[in-house]
Amino acid sequence: MTHHHLLLAGCGDLGTELGLRMARKGWTATGIRRSADKLPQSMTPIAMDLTEPGDQALPPADAVVITLTAGVREVDEYRRTYIGALHGLRSALDRGGSDPQRVLLVSSTAVLGDPDGQTLTEDAVPSPERPTAQVLLEAEHIAKDLFPNLSIVRPAGIYGPGRGSFIGRVRNGEPMNHRKITNRIHRDDLVTVLERVLEADRPPSLLHAVDTEPAPMGEVAAYVAKKLNVPVPPDKPGGPQGKALDSTRMQELVGTLRYPTYRQGYDALLT
């Protein structure tokens, strides 16, 4: 299936990287964000607040990728950002007479909750505990109703350029639960996942976007601490033991990741 016009809804760092990559492949990439002047020249900008589109219409598109980001981790903000923007996007597409053949929603593995150390595939039943994660799951259901041809991509722990919060925690020696199982994906690999879903003849309806090695937080912290030449942050036992996310379905679609484990990813960031 060949697409020609890609709409990137909520076009921040992730959407911009994807748009640049698809533009290099000859697609027309249009980025929708409140401050459209921040987009690179190879992308067509549309200044729009999707939560309040008014009577603005969006041009016809072959594919839409939805990468929304809430300003703060509060339920009301999540509800406004995710659920409000999904309804606004649908109405602005309808106003322009657009019915995209392919729609991707970037959600989060947070919707799965924190089962005690279990390994989960895409068949796992979501059980979000945090109120913000409950809103994300509600947004997934609403998106399915609004866009019947939807693919949902759930990344975990996105890190990479400009996303160094874990490095900061290690550098500052913040206590953390060493035994908690964690999952992550490098930003560049996540863009590749989205690219492959866009181009797939039969895109998956749901995909975990995670690297190939879930790992205890203490192990990852020790690796990063060694690269930084700082002490390993102290252990803070207790709390949920995390989950190991199975990436088999993603690997079948994408093949080998550029950063298949945290080691390659943090080597690239810290070397």
Side-chain angles (χ1 to χ4, degrees):
M1 180 180 187
T2 302
H3 295 300
H4 302 288
H5 185 204
L6 171 63
L7 276 180
L8 297 141
C11 190
D13 169 58
L14 198 59
T16 300
E17 286 298 316
L18 178 62
L20 288 170
R21 210 178 279 190
M22 301 316 288
R24 287 195 291 269
K25 290 186 165 189
W27 291 35
T28 299
T30 297
I32 307 162
R33 58 185 291 170
R34 292 188 191 93
S35 307
D37 57 333
K38 295 177 181 173
L39 293 172
Q41 286 187 332
S42 59
M43 294 173 63
T44 305
I46 293 181
M48 181 186 290
D49 182 346
L50 286 168
T51 65
E52 296 177 5
D55 58 0
Q56 279 184 277
L58 286 170
D62 302 293
V64 178
V65 176
I66 307 166
T67 54
L68 303 168
T69 309
V72 290
R73 288 182 179 271
E74 292 177 3
V75 172
D76 289 347
E77 177 70 5
Y78 266 63
R79 187 167 290 283
R80 189 185 72 81
T81 299
Y82 287 90
I83 294 171
L86 285 169
H87 285 294
L89 174 64
R90 180 74 262 185
S91 65
L93 286 167
D94 291 344
R95 217 169 277 117
S98 181
D99 191 21
Q101 299 163 310
R102 188 157 298 183
V103 180
L104 273 66
L105 173 67
V106 178
S107 180
S108 168
T109 55
V111 302
L112 295 168
D114 272 310
D116 238 8
Q118 290 169 270
T119 297
L120 302 180
T121 69
E122 283 84 354
D123 297 326
V125 177
S127 180
E129 290 144 31
R130 295 201 304 271
T132 49
Q134 291 167 9
V135 175
L136 286 176
L137 184 60
E138 185 182 344
E140 288 187 5
H141 291 312
I142 288 169
K144 285 178 195 171
D145 290 337
L146 295 173
F147 304 101
N149 45 357
L150 183 75
S151 292
I152 295 171
V153 176
R154 292 176 182 158
I158 307 169
Y159 72 105
R163 296 173 183 263
S165 62
F166 186 75
I167 294 171
R169 288 173 65 194
V170 173
R171 187 179 273 123
N172 295 334
E174 281 185 35
M176 53 186 74
N177 183 350
H178 284 203
R179 282 171 291 286
K180 182 175 181 178
I181 302 297
T182 60
N183 306 265
R184 66 202 51 77
I185 189 163
H186 192 284
R187 193 265 328 257
D188 294 350
D189 283 328
L190 176 54
V191 173
T192 300
V193 173
L194 299 176
E195 186 182 354
R196 295 289 182 272
V197 175
L198 275 178
E199 295 175 329
D201 289 334
R202 295 182 179 176
S205 59
L206 177 62
L207 200 65
H208 289 165
V210 291
D211 71 18
T212 62
E213 193 176 317
M217 192 181 293
E219 186 182 297
V220 185
Y223 191 85
V224 171
K226 188 175 181 183
K227 301 290 288 186
L228 293 171
N229 197 25
V230 297
V232 179
D235 188 14
K236 183 185 177 184
Q241 292 307 298
K243 53 191 177 281
L245 296 167
D246 186 292
S247 63
T248 304
R249 189 181 294 183
M250 184 207 69
Q251 289 181 65
E252 287 169 355
L253 180 70
V254 175
T256 305
L257 296 175
R258 186 174 178 185
Y259 305 105
T261 79
Y262 67 85
R263 286 178 286 275
Q264 291 90 344
Y266 283 114
D267 283 354
L269 286 171
L270 296 171
T271 301

